[in-house]
């Protein structure tokens, strides 16, 4: 495991420090900064990308997630969070190719929501998501067996975060649940509890424990004791039948490897370094970080808050580095000071696998008539996953 160590340098307008390498025993398992910031791509690739993009024309629709590198965002037709981009793809049925510059679960969602004649492409198949990988279909099926043996499965409605595999979305659809985003998690939980008689319902929240806990406790007024954590690596999830019966929220032991890095020390440190700073974090952060922050919200909410912020205001943002840097540059001319929440720099290593070389290879291959790295969800999985996604779309 490697993390960053700040260098003794003068603060920059972005307050972004270079990475070093040193063990960090305080980090959650799986939380890491994998090394130096990515080097810029060969400038000659820009011309090649433009040429291939022009040759493809309307046949290709390029989606760029907010956490992507600038060199990739430059060629995106639209930018957004995972669900917004999947819906944007579905709204462009004339596009033969949907090139998804994001990670694997996002491309799967786009394939589920787009038409059968459209082909979804992921420029690098190694661009996965550590959080999504923390819940496999086999593990979740075993969890449901544990809930059944404890006598609570019938009272439990699964709610799965958008950041999950197609298999997990299909499990959710099979068991009458719904998908949620970080923007509508509260509505999804309220809907789920309404599906069972008052006071008797439970939610199995997959796969991000922090979003589930923060929504239940911060937004809905539950207590921390209403939540238990199911650990798929321990027998019976590490829980007794009595604990499962007493719980309202059964949280899967998963987390985001970027947002999980932020700590209470990060919040306290930035308040000392930047007097008058507003701390704005993503709800995938740990509960103590969210409780100490001034504002909490999804990626789209973070952007909207900064857009509406007054000139001269100071903000420390707890989310992925590429987005924070882009926002700092965007709003600097308006006199808004935007810094990264942590002293150390951390970006999403799997998002950064989608770089300009991979994008150029993808676009040039498609222009030459060769389809590469197509993402296809099988018909049965797609059917049940779509049920869960459509239930989310139907939320009040």
């Amino acid at each position: 495991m490697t993390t960053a160590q700040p260098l003794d340098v003068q603060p920059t307008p972005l307050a972004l420090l270079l990475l070093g390498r040193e063990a960090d025993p305080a980090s959650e398992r799986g939380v890491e900064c994998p090394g130096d910031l990515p080097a810029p791509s060969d400038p000659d690739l820009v011309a090649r990308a433009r040429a291939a993009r022009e040759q493809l024309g309307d046949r290709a629709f390029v989606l760029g997630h907010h956490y992507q590198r600038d060199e990739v965002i430059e060629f995106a037709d639209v930018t957004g969070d995972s669900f917004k981009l999947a819906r944007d793809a579905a709204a462009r049925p004339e596009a033969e190719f949907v090139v998804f510059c994001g990670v694997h679960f996002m491309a799967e969602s786009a394939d589920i929501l787009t038409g059968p004649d459209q082909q979804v492409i992921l420029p690098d198949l190694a661009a996965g998501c550590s959080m999504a990988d923390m819940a496999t279909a086999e593990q979740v099926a075993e969890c449901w067996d544990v809930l059944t043996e404890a006598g609570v499965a019938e009272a439990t409605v699964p709610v799965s975060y958008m950041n999950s595999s197609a298999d997990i979305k299909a499990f959710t659809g099979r068991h009458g649940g719904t998908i949620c985003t970080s923007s509508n998690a509260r509505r999804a939980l309220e809907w789920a509890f309404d599906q069972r008689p008052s006071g008797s319902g439970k939610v199995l929240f997959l796969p991000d424990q922090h979003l589930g806990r923060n929504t239940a406790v911060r937004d809905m007024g539950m207590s921390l004791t209403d939540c238990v954590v199911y650990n798929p690596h321990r027998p019976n999830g590490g829980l007794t039948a009595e604990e499962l019966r007493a719980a309202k929220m059964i949280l899967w032991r998963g987390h985001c490897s970027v947002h999980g890095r932020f700590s209470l020390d990060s919040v306290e440190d930035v308040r000392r370094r930047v007097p008058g700073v507003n701390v704005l974090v993503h709800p995938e952060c740990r509960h103590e970080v969210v409780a100490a922050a001034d504002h909490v919200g999804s990626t789209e909410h973070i952007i909207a808050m900064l857009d509406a912020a007054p000139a001269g205001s100071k903000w420390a943002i707890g989310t992925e580095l590429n987005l924070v840097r882009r926002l700092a540059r965007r709003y600097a001319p308006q006199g808004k000071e935007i810094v990264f929440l942590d002293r150390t720099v951390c970006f999403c290593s799997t998002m950064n696998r989608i770089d300009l070389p991979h994008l150029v290879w993808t676009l040039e291959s498609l222009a030459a008539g060769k389809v590469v790295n197509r993402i296809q969800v099988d018909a049965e999985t797609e059917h049940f996953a779509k049920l869960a996604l459509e239930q989310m779309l139907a939320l009040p």
Side-chain angles (χ1 to χ4, degrees):
M1 181 181 297
T2 58
T3 63
Q5 180 175 352
L7 302 179
D8 185 15
V9 297
Q10 294 299 312
T12 68
L14 302 183
L16 301 175
L17 306 178
L18 297 178
L19 283 173
R21 295 178 181 273
E22 183 176 318
D24 181 2
S27 291
E28 287 189 67
R29 183 179 179 184
V31 176
E32 61 181 30
C33 281
D36 295 330
L37 289 173
S41 294
D42 184 344
D44 292 340
L45 290 173
V46 174
R48 291 173 58 182
R50 287 175 179 163
R53 187 70 192 84
E54 184 176 350
Q55 184 176 349
L56 285 166
D58 292 340
R59 295 176 61 208
F61 188 45
V62 181
L63 307 172
H65 191 274
H66 286 308
Y67 297 167
Q68 288 290 308
R69 306 164 183 245
D70 288 346
E71 67 198 48
V72 171
I73 289 293
E74 179 181 349
F75 293 98
D77 295 306
V78 295
T79 59
D81 62 13
S82 57
F83 185 62
K84 176 182 180 295
L85 292 179
R87 293 187 70 178
D88 286 343
R92 291 289 292 267
E94 70 278 8
E96 182 180 349
F97 306 115
V98 175
V99 180
F100 210 122
C101 297
V103 293
H104 195 271
F105 78 80
M106 300 178 188
E108 286 184 326
S109 297
D111 185 58
I112 291 167
L113 294 174
T114 52
D117 296 331
Q118 294 179 282
Q119 301 181 73
V120 177
I121 311 297
L122 184 65
D124 186 349
L125 293 180
C129 171
S130 59
M131 180 200 296
D133 292 343
M134 290 176 189
T136 68
E138 294 77 12
Q139 289 172 333
V140 175
E142 182 178 342
C143 171
W144 198 254
D145 289 342
V146 171
L147 299 186
T148 300
E149 291 174 9
V152 300
E154 289 188 3
T156 304
V157 177
V159 175
S160 292
Y161 191 21
M162 191 72 181
N163 299 27
S164 59
S165 69
D167 286 337
I168 300 308
K169 291 182 176 72
F171 165 86
T172 306
R174 285 189 181 95
H175 293 279
T178 187
I179 307 303
C180 76
T181 68
S182 52
S183 299
N184 69 3
R186 177 174 180 169
R187 280 185 290 157
L189 289 182
E190 289 172 343
W191 172 87
F193 283 114
D194 285 345
Q195 303 311 298
R196 300 292 183 266
S198 179
S200 68
K202 303 177 185 296
V203 165
L204 171 62
F205 194 89
L206 298 151
D208 179 24
Q209 61 168 308
H210 300 310
L211 177 61
R213 182 183 295 106
N214 289 330
T215 305
V217 176
R218 180 182 183 274
D219 298 338
M220 299 177 65
M222 296 186 202
S223 69
L224 289 174
T225 56
D226 289 325
C227 307
V228 295
V229 178
Y230 182 95
N231 185 345
H233 303 293
R234 296 184 62 186
N236 297 318
L239 299 169
T240 65
E242 289 73 20
E243 288 173 320
L244 288 169
R245 293 180 192 124
K248 293 183 180 179
M249 291 287 293
I250 303 168
L251 306 170
W252 192 263
R253 191 176 185 272
H255 60 269
C256 170
S257 58
V258 171
H259 293 108
R261 273 199 55 81
F262 300 114
S263 66
L264 184 58
D265 286 343
S266 303
V267 178
E268 294 171 346
D269 178 69
V270 81
R271 291 198 191 280
R272 287 191 295 266
R273 290 187 290 114
V274 188
V277 71
N278 296 281
V279 178
L280 171 57
V281 303
H282 195 282
E284 289 177 16
C285 292
R286 307 182 198 197
H287 181 68
E288 60 267 26
V289 173
V290 165
D294 299 302
H295 307 280
V296 182
S298 66
T299 303
E300 297 289 346
H301 180 76
I302 288 171
I303 296 171
M305 283 207 73
L306 293 177
D307 192 54
S313 56
K314 302 175 183 180
W315 297 83
I317 310 301
T319 193
E320 206 273 342
L321 173 63
N322 279 319
L323 176 61
V324 177
R325 297 175 74 197
R326 194 174 299 126
L327 293 173
R329 289 194 298 269
R330 179 189 303 176
Y331 294 113
Q334 300 178 20
K336 303 173 188 180
E337 181 182 350
I338 298 171
V339 302
F340 195 58
L341 176 58
D342 203 355
R343 277 183 177 270
T344 56
V345 174
C346 193
F347 55 90
C348 180
S349 58
T350 49
M351 279 281 188
N352 275 273
R353 290 184 184 276
I354 308 294
D355 54 13
L356 193 53
H358 280 92
L359 181 58
V360 168
W361 170 73
T362 299
L363 296 177
E364 288 183 340
S365 296
L366 294 176
K370 181 181 179 181
V371 177
V372 295
N373 289 4
R374 183 179 179 187
I375 301 299
Q376 288 182 281
V377 178
D378 68 86
E380 181 180 0
T381 301
E382 177 177 325
H383 170 73
F384 287 104
K386 198 168 187 177
L387 288 180
L389 286 166
E390 288 175 342
Q391 178 54 62
M392 180 178 73
L393 294 174
L395 290 173

